[in-house]
Amino acid sequence: MIEQKLNELYSKFKNELAGVSDRAAVLNLKSLYLGKQGPITEILSNMKNLSIEERKVVGPVVNGLKEKIQQDTDAFLQKLEIEEINQSLLKNKIDLTLRDSVLTNIQNHGGAHPVWAIQREIEDVFLSMGFDIIDGPHIEDEYHNFEALNIPADHPARDMQDTFWFETEARPGKFRHLLRTHTSTIQVRGMKQRRPPFRFIAPGKVFRCERTDASHEMVFHQLEGMLVDKDVSVAHLIYFMKTLLSEIFKREVEVRLRPGFFPFVEPGFELDIKCLLCKGQGCSVCKHVGWVELLPCGLIHPNVLKSGDINPQEWNGFAFGLGLDRLVMMKYAIDDIRHIHSGDLRFVEQFKSY
Ligand code: DAH
């Protein structure tokens, strides 16, 4: 009689358990059956009215039912937990092969600035052609910036570059300090550190006290290059420059060579490329002439070789100074140099994949 009642109770519990779907409902059901007010507690408290023989039979059956309800609810809770884990894994699925989406899900990651990216690209090209990469200080003295590059104090070429001078006392025999106006300063440092034949590039920031506009900034980037060897000719120079430009633009670009004056080269040239932005039609970047000055270059002046303790009777070479910001502008069709250092995230975020 009591056994039948317990069986009915258990199948009622099983039915109700099948109908619940969340943790709170399962716990509620468990306390309904096993709690103080529940039917099992009631049966157990009524045991005192039974005979010893009856108790011996009923006791284990009731305890068995209690245990089964306990086990069933535990198993159900465990199943729920596994389902929850699976569901959250499914929802936050991460495909590790999708590099970008993973990174943007995890955090708002940064990316290489376009000037830095193009610098790395050029460094790779030159490394593959046997060049070293060297560095020099931003704060320079007028010896490295001018004097050693064949620009003595009274030379009008000093006015070609508007210079930020430091307010150091002008003392006889002492060189004044300045923010380097070009990376050519590293030519002197590089020559003194090595013996020919050698070839190196030197990228970095340069500073000019200039009024800014769409194509001028006070801080911009250059990449200096120098090759010293025997019997170097303009043909070598053109070969290296063309290789560089076609690697960067991944296509043949139209170039022209004009005579250019720079005291540290002789002959000196301006290598221009046809404006990739307006395709030669004229725009603010090319100052409406259709061509952009990109690569001033030339054969190293004997006086400069002498500054580097190199005998110009024995050795010669070429040098060039590439404007990295202009290159970025050409490559990505940016019409105002001021965007490059604006720090505007809407600008830099466009280059995140680099
Ligand atoms: N230093 C020059 C400038 O900033 C650029 C330059 C011209 C560098 C000719 C060179 C060169 O190495 O050969 O205007």
Side-chain angles (χ1 to χ4, degrees), residues 58-222:
V58 175
V61 182
V62 180
N63 281 331
L65 175 65
K66 219 174 136 178
E67 217 164 278
K68 275 201 281 183
I69 290 176
Q70 183 75 48
Q71 280 170 1
D72 286 352
T73 45
D74 285 351
F76 201 90
L77 285 173
Q78 205 177 1
K79 196 179 107 201
L80 271 184
E81 197 176 342
I82 290 171
E83 271 171 21
E84 271 169 24
I85 292 173
N86 282 341
Q87 254 176 22
S88 93
L89 282 177
L90 217 65
K91 215 164 46 193
N92 302 316
K93 202 167 162 189
I94 293 176
D95 182 349
L96 292 173
T97 60
L98 293 176
R99 189 175 162 276
D100 241 9
S101 74
V102 172
L103 290 175
T104 40
N105 274 346
I106 293 172
Q107 55 183 193
N108 193 8
H109 69 102
H113 188 278
V115 171
W116 169 240
I118 214 156
Q119 181 184 318
R120 294 286 300 270
E121 218 177 298
I122 297 168
E123 284 175 2
D124 276 352
V125 177
F126 279 103
L127 278 174
S128 74
M129 297 194 288
F131 283 69
D132 290 341
I133 302 171
I134 62 172
D135 201 5
H138 291 169
I139 298 176
E140 267 292 5
D141 54 47
E142 55 188 322
Y143 172 75
H144 288 91
N145 202 88
F146 295 122
E147 199 98 0
L149 291 166
N150 199 31
I151 318 174
D154 52 358
H155 198 290
R158 286 215 180 184
D159 298 335
M160 281 166 73
Q161 302 176 349
D162 296 309
T163 310
F164 283 114
W165 291 96
F166 282 86
E167 284 184 350
T168 38
E169 254 178 73
R171 274 185 280 160
K174 270 267 176 200
F175 287 114
R176 286 178 299 163
H177 283 92
L178 48 85
L179 286 176
R180 72 177 178 207
T181 57
H182 52 180
T183 44
S184 303
T185 54
I186 313 174
Q187 286 194 14
V188 189
R189 296 182 178 278
M191 280 188 292
K192 291 213 165 172
Q193 285 161 2
R194 36 182 61 72
R195 292 297 88 204
F198 59 76
R199 44 183 86 175
F200 61 79
I201 54 165
K205 272 193 170 69
V206 298
F207 309 84
R208 302 267 175 98
C209 185
E210 282 201 84
R211 195 176 279 271
T212 58
D213 61 29
S215 49
H216 292 90
E217 257 290 17
M218 281 190 272
V219 181
F220 53 100
H221 299 81
Q222 289 184 338

Side-chain angles (χ1 to χ4, degrees), residues 1-18 29-35 37-44 46 58 61-70 72-73:
M1 167 71 185
I2 183 104
E3 275 184 284
Q4 195 195 338
K5 198 179 161 199
L6 290 175
N7 280 340
E8 278 170 17
L9 199 63
Y10 184 54
S11 47
K12 190 166 166 258
F13 165 77
K14 284 291 242 185
N15 272 340
E16 286 177 33
L17 186 64
L29 192 64
K30 183 182 163 190
S31 76
L32 257 172
Y33 278 81
L34 300 183
Q37 319 283 313
I40 310 265
T41 314
E42 195 192 332
I43 292 166
L44 286 171
N46 285 338
V58 175
V61 182
V62 180
N63 281 331
L65 175 65
K66 219 174 136 178
E67 217 164 278
K68 275 201 281 183
I69 290 176
Q70 183 75 48
D72 286 352
T73 45

